[in-house]
Amino acid sequence: MQFCAVVVAAGTGSRAGGGDAKQWRLLAGKPVVRWSVEALTEAGADPVAVVVPAGDQQIAAAALTGLPIRLVAGGTTRGASVRAGLGALTDGPNVVLVHDAARPLLGADLIERLLDALATADGALPALPVADTLKRLDGPQLSTVSRDGLWRAQTPQAFRRSTLVEAYAAWPPGEEPTDDAGVVERAGGHVVMIPGDPRLLKLTYPEDFIVAEALAAARVTCIGQGFDAHRFGPGEQVWLCGVCIPHDLGLVGHSDADVGLHALVDAILGAIGAGDIGDHFPPTDPRWKGAASHLFLTHAAELARSRGARLANVDVTLICEAPRIKPHREAMRAKLAELLDLPLGRVSVKATTTEGMGFTGRSEGIAAQAVVALDLPAA
Ligand code: MG
């Protein structure tokens, strides 16, 4: 679904400590505002309006350098800033996400669930149940408030852009909304809740930065597997795991037909959910005719690293009756370690035959399997 976004980063509050307004402070080495703007642009938000204090354009541009955004000067209230952001998106798609920059740890799955929820509603927001018992202090009189039916609203909140613009136009002057769903609710719109995300905490006090730093550092281990096979044809050598081995046959393929590297590329792409080797290097593209497959491997590894991945280990199994792999195994490990910039101990190449069974057993070709483990940012 096509959508645009408003990121509100117009606060000047210093309750969070640290001197600078919290949206410009670093969280795990990256400006707070950049975390959610990156998450939104990676999820496909286009255009993205980032609303910043009028005097902070320069610091904002530095914090968001390289990202395709529209910087907009904010108003004196949150509502005025959201209106200013919407005013910069009149040429955008009719679905908009409005998000507070103070909630940096925005995940792709939450964005997807919000957009899905819009199919049957005018607006959708993530919310969490209230866990603590609520108290009301009325003068000296303390009482307990039922938390039944109470929820904590988060952002981003998703709307049909025209619905939100009309709802803001109808909002009574002099009152200040605390979120955008409230504006659409007041205008009679149908707003639904989806399960929120505890990682989307709002940075308000200095302690919140300590929690967010820990959450930002959290990693999740991902595994990918790949399989490939190429047929034997006339030739005098085969390429396997980046090593050239003399043989009385060659392997047929658009590129150099290195099944070991191809299986490994698919394993890396699998671990980061980025499709397969054919998506990235279509066999119909003349650029890859006869290409050395180490180019595919370094591309996949770079793509993984650009998404914050750290490769843990790789394990490749070559399946053939001939040529004999063992004499070349250490050269293959060294080549893969070099291409992936991994210590040798985290690179494995193994070989097996299928004892005469199947296509590899009949020496019609060579197959390879690969497994990769890596870790990715959890948020
Ligand atoms: Mg292949």
Side-chain angles (χ1 to χ4, degrees):
M1 181 189 285
Q2 289 202 313
F3 67 104
C4 53
V6 174
V7 177
V8 185
T12 52
S14 50
R15 271 185 301 175
D20 282 342
K22 59 192 171 187
Q23 62 269 32
W24 314 132
R25 284 181 57 186
L26 296 184
L27 175 69
K30 190 154 77 178
V32 165
V33 64
R34 193 174 178 98
W35 282 85
S36 46
V37 173
E38 276 184 357
L40 286 162
T41 51
E42 275 165 27
D46 181 30
V48 176
V50 183
V51 190
V52 306
D56 281 1
Q57 302 263 344
Q58 227 168 343
I59 185 171
L64 295 164
T65 181
L67 294 174
I69 52 141
R70 297 176 182 178
L71 277 185
V72 180
T76 50
T77 62
R78 185 183 180 283
S81 292
V82 173
R83 287 176 202 246
L86 290 170
L89 297 175
T90 49
D91 58 339
N94 196 29
V95 171
V96 65
L97 261 58
V98 183
H99 183 56
D100 290 327
R103 299 182 189 272
L105 301 179
L106 173 57
D109 65 311
L110 188 118
I111 295 173
E112 211 175 293
R113 288 189 289 117
L114 273 175
L115 295 173
D116 287 347
L118 262 198
T120 55
D122 300 313
L125 74 147
L128 292 171
V130 176
D132 297 328
T133 295
L134 297 178
K135 298 289 183 184
R136 183 191 301 278
L137 192 58
D138 213 354
Q141 187 59 47
L142 187 64
S143 59
T144 303
V145 179
S146 167
R147 64 189 180 207
D148 279 359
L150 292 184
W151 294 80
R152 295 188 288 138
Q154 299 183 310
T155 72
Q157 301 183 347
F159 308 93
R160 270 170 229 303
R161 187 166 55 79
S162 50
T163 306
L164 183 60
V165 169
E166 284 162 24
Y168 261 107
W171 182 262
E175 278 188 57
E176 185 51 32
T178 56
D179 77 346
D180 309 290
V183 177
V184 173
E185 289 156 16
R186 179 83 72 98
H190 173 51
V191 180
V192 296
M193 289 196 300
I194 66 162
D197 185 346
R199 291 174 304 178
L200 258 180
L201 85 166
K202 187 175 186 178
L203 299 176
T204 310
Y205 302 106
E207 310 82 78
D208 298 333
F209 270 81
I210 297 169
V211 177
E213 285 278 351
L215 289 171
R219 314 280 296 180
V220 59
T221 298
C222 299
I223 291 173
Q225 68 94 28
F227 175 84
D228 194 29
H230 280 261
R231 179 185 295 278
F232 279 127
E236 295 169 341
Q237 63 195 31
V238 293
W239 282 92
L240 292 172
C241 293
V243 172
C244 185
I245 302 174
H247 192 47
D248 51 5
L249 293 166
L251 286 173
V252 182
H254 185 67
S255 65
D256 63 9
D258 187 327
V259 285
L261 290 185
H262 294 183
L264 189 48
V265 167
D266 263 358
I268 292 172
L269 295 174
I272 60 169
D276 65 23
I277 192 169
D279 298 330
H280 295 264
F281 310 101
T284 47
D285 188 333
R287 262 189 307 166
W288 311 119
K289 186 161 173 54
S293 295
H294 66 79
L295 295 175
F296 306 160
L297 185 66
T298 48
H299 170 87
E302 267 164 38
L303 186 67
R305 288 191 174 114
S306 76
R307 295 186 181 189
R310 296 187 302 218
L311 274 176
N313 75 309
V314 304
D315 185 11
V316 180
T317 302
L318 298 168
I319 307 164
C320 60
E321 302 290 328
R324 269 172 49 75
I325 302 300
K326 203 165 185 177
H328 307 282
R329 213 169 56 182
E330 290 312 307
M332 294 176 183
R333 288 181 68 206
K335 189 71 190 175
L336 295 183
E338 176 202 326
L339 290 171
L340 295 171
D341 197 16
L342 276 178
L344 197 57
R346 297 212 248 131
V347 177
S348 162
V349 175
K350 310 193 300 300
T352 186
T353 71
T354 51
E355 302 201 332
M357 297 178 287
F359 70 88
T360 53
R362 292 187 298 271
S363 288
E364 292 169 7
I366 300 181
Q369 295 179 338
V371 178
V372 165
L374 50 78
D375 68 33
L376 284 166

